[in-house]
C-alpha cells in the first residue's frame, strides 16, 4: 500500500480526533452480488487507522447517495434492506481487527441523517465554485470529453463534501465534540475533501480536516481503477470460485501484490489455502463475511471460524 497526506497533515490524537471513512457503492444497484472488492479495501483503511490511533471511527454507508443517482425502478425499501445487510458486513470486517472496536455507522439513506446532510449542503451553498463541483471526481479529463453532471449527481457530490465537516460529523454521531476529522479515503476523493477544507475555512471555523489517502483499487489488469471498470475487469466479493479463478489468471503480479497486501497478515483468516495461495484465502474470507451478513449459505468448501465476532443490531 502507498499513502499520501494533505498539506500540514496532523495525525489523529486520542480525545481530540475522529477518523472518517466511507467506501463507494459503485453501480451496485442495491444488490450484494454487485458489491466490488474495493469496498473492503476502502472500509478497512479507516478502521485500521482508528485502531492504531485509539480514536473513534465514523464510517458512512452512502446508501442514500446511491439511491439519488440509481435507476428509479429500485425502491427506497430495497436500498434500505441492502443497507441493513451492508451494516453486518462492515461490522464483521471491523471484528477481524485485533484490539479494534465497532465503528460508528451512519446510513445516509435514513431520514434523520439525510435531512441533516441536506441542511448542511444549504449552509455551504456558494462556498464551493461550480466548476470545482463539476470536476469533483475527475482526476484526468476524458479525451472524448465528459458530460457535465446532472442535478441529481451534483446533489450527491454536495452531500459527500459535507460529510467531512467536523460540525456535521458531530451532529450525525451525537455525543462527540468533533473538532478534528482525519479522512482515510482513497486518493480519488482528494478534490471532495479539499472542497470541504475550503468551505470550512470560508466559514471562519477553527476546526480541522486532514486526509490520509491510499491508492484506489486497481482493475484486474491494472490498467485503470476498479471503480470505473467493466464487470470482466472487476472483482466482486461474491464471485463464484470459477469466475474468480478466470479473473485471477489475467491479473499481473503487481496487481496480485496489491490485493494480497490489502488484508494485512495481522488480520484473521477463516482458513489458509492448502496450496499457500494467500490471495484466494483473502477473497474466500471476504466472500464468507459478506455471505454471512446476507444470511446466505456458505460456499462449497468454506470454513466457518468460531473466532469471528459479529456486531449486530446497534450501529455503534
Amino acid at each position: 500500500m502507498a499513502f499520501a497526506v494533505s498539506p500540514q497533515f496532523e495525525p489523529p490524537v486520542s480525545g481530540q480526533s475522529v477518523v472518517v471513512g466511507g467506501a463507494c457503492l459503485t453501480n451496485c444497484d442495491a444488490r450484494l452480488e454487485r458489491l466490488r472488492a474495493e469496498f473492503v479495501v476502502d472500509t478497512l483503511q479507516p478502521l485500521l487507522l482508528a485502531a492504531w490511533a485509539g480514536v473513534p471511527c465514523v464510517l458512512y454507508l452512502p446508501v442514500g447517495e446511491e439511491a439519488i443517482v440509481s435507476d428509479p425502478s429500485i425502491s427506497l425499501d430495497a436500498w434500505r434492506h441492502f443497507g441493513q445487510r451492508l451494516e453486518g458486513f462492515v461490522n464483521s470486517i471491523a471484528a477481524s481487527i485485533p484490539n479494534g472496536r465497532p465503528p460508528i455507522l451512519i446510513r445516509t439513506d435514513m431520514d434523520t441523517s439525510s435531512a441533516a446532510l441536506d441542511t448542511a449542503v444549504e449552509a455551504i451553498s456558494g462556498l464551493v465554485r461550480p466548476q470545482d463541483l463539476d470536476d469533483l471526481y475527475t482526476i484526468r479529463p476524458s479525451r472524448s470529453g465528459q458530460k457535465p453532471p446532472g442535478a441529481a449527481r451534483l446533489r450527491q457530490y454536495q452531500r459527500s463534501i459535507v460529510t467531512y465537516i467536523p460540525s456535521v460529523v458531530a451532529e450525525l454521531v451525537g455525543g462527540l465534540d468533533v473538532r478534528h476529522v482525519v479522512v482515510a479515503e482513497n486518493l480519488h476523493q482528494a478534490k471532495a475533501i479539499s472542497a470541504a477544507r475550503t468551505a470550512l475555512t470560508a466559514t471562519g471555523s477553527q476546526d480541522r480536516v486532514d486526509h490520509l489517502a491510499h491508492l484506489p483499487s486497481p482493475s484486474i489488469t491494472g490498467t485503470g481503477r476498479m471503480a470505473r471498470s467493466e464487470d470482466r475487469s472487476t472483482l466482486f466479493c461474491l464471485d463464484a470460485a470459477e469466475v474468480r479463478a478466470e479473473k485471477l489468471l489475467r491479473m499481473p503480479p503487481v496487481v496480485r501484490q496489491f490485493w494480497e497486501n490489502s488484508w494485512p497478515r495481522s488480520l484473521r483468516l477463516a482458513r489458509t489455502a492448502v496450496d499457500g495461495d494467500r490471495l484466494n484465502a483473502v477473497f474466500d474470507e471476504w466472500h464468507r463475511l459478506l455471505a454471512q451478513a446476507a444470511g446466505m449459505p456458505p460456499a462449497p468448501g468454506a470454513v466457518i471460524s468460531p473466532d469471528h465476532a459479529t456486531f449486530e443490531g446497534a450501529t455503534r
Side-chain angles (χ1 to χ4, degrees), residues 44-287:
L44 192 59
Q45 297 310 317
L47 288 169
L48 290 171
L49 178 61
W52 169 78
V55 303
C57 182
V58 178
L59 290 181
Y60 290 99
L61 298 183
V63 181
E65 282 60 55
E66 284 302 306
I68 289 171
V69 297
S70 72
D71 189 320
S73 66
I74 305 173
S75 69
L76 185 56
D77 283 345
W79 279 111
R80 288 185 170 169
H81 182 56
F82 172 79
Q84 289 170 359
R85 294 184 293 172
L86 205 60
E87 284 188 36
F89 185 41
V90 170
N91 280 323
S92 292
I93 294 170
S96 299
I97 300 175
N99 302 317
R101 52 181 168 177
I104 301 170
L105 299 182
I106 299 175
R107 290 262 304 278
T108 64
D109 58 310
M110 307 312 290
D111 292 342
T112 301
S113 298
S114 185
L117 292 177
D118 286 336
T119 299
V121 166
E122 290 297 321
I124 68 162
S125 178
L127 299 182
V128 180
R129 298 185 307 171
Q131 60 267 39
D132 292 339
L133 200 57
D134 287 348
D135 295 333
L136 200 66
Y137 294 108
T138 302
I139 301 300
R140 184 175 61 183
S142 170
R143 292 179 181 176
S144 59
Q146 292 175 303
K147 292 176 60 178
R153 185 68 69 180
L154 288 174
R155 181 182 173 219
Q156 181 197 42
Y157 288 178
Q158 291 167 322
R159 283 166 56 104
S160 296
I161 289 170
V162 298
T163 61
Y164 308 122
I165 294 177
S167 61
V168 177
V169 177
E171 180 181 356
L172 290 169
V173 302
L176 288 179
D177 182 20
V178 181
R179 298 293 181 179
H180 180 211
V181 165
V182 179
V183 185
E185 292 185 352
N186 74 60
L187 193 60
H188 192 59
Q189 317 304 317
K191 287 184 179 180
I193 297 163
S194 178
R197 289 160 60 95
T198 298
L200 190 64
T201 300
T203 65
S205 172
Q206 298 302 304
D207 294 344
R208 183 177 181 89
V209 177
D210 285 296
H211 186 193
L212 176 67
H214 57 275
L215 286 176
S217 298
S219 64
I220 287 169
T221 59
T223 56
R225 292 184 297 112
M226 185 164 287
R228 297 292 177 90
S229 297
E230 57 186 15
D231 286 4
R232 70 181 304 273
S233 294
T234 296
L235 285 161
F236 296 99
C237 293
L238 292 179
D239 270 341
E242 64 276 11
V243 174
R244 182 207 301 166
E246 187 278 328
K247 290 177 178 178
L248 295 189
L249 282 175
R250 294 187 281 113
M251 187 177 282
V254 67
V255 177
R256 289 185 66 93
Q257 186 178 26
F258 174 92
W259 289 104
E260 286 174 354
N261 290 320
S262 63
W263 189 260
R265 292 180 183 273
S266 60
L267 271 59
R268 294 188 294 262
L269 288 172
R271 75 168 183 87
T272 301
V274 175
D275 60 1
D277 186 350
R278 175 175 169 79
L279 187 58
N280 264 308
V282 167
F283 288 139
D284 281 350
E285 180 73 348
W286 299 357
H287 190 291

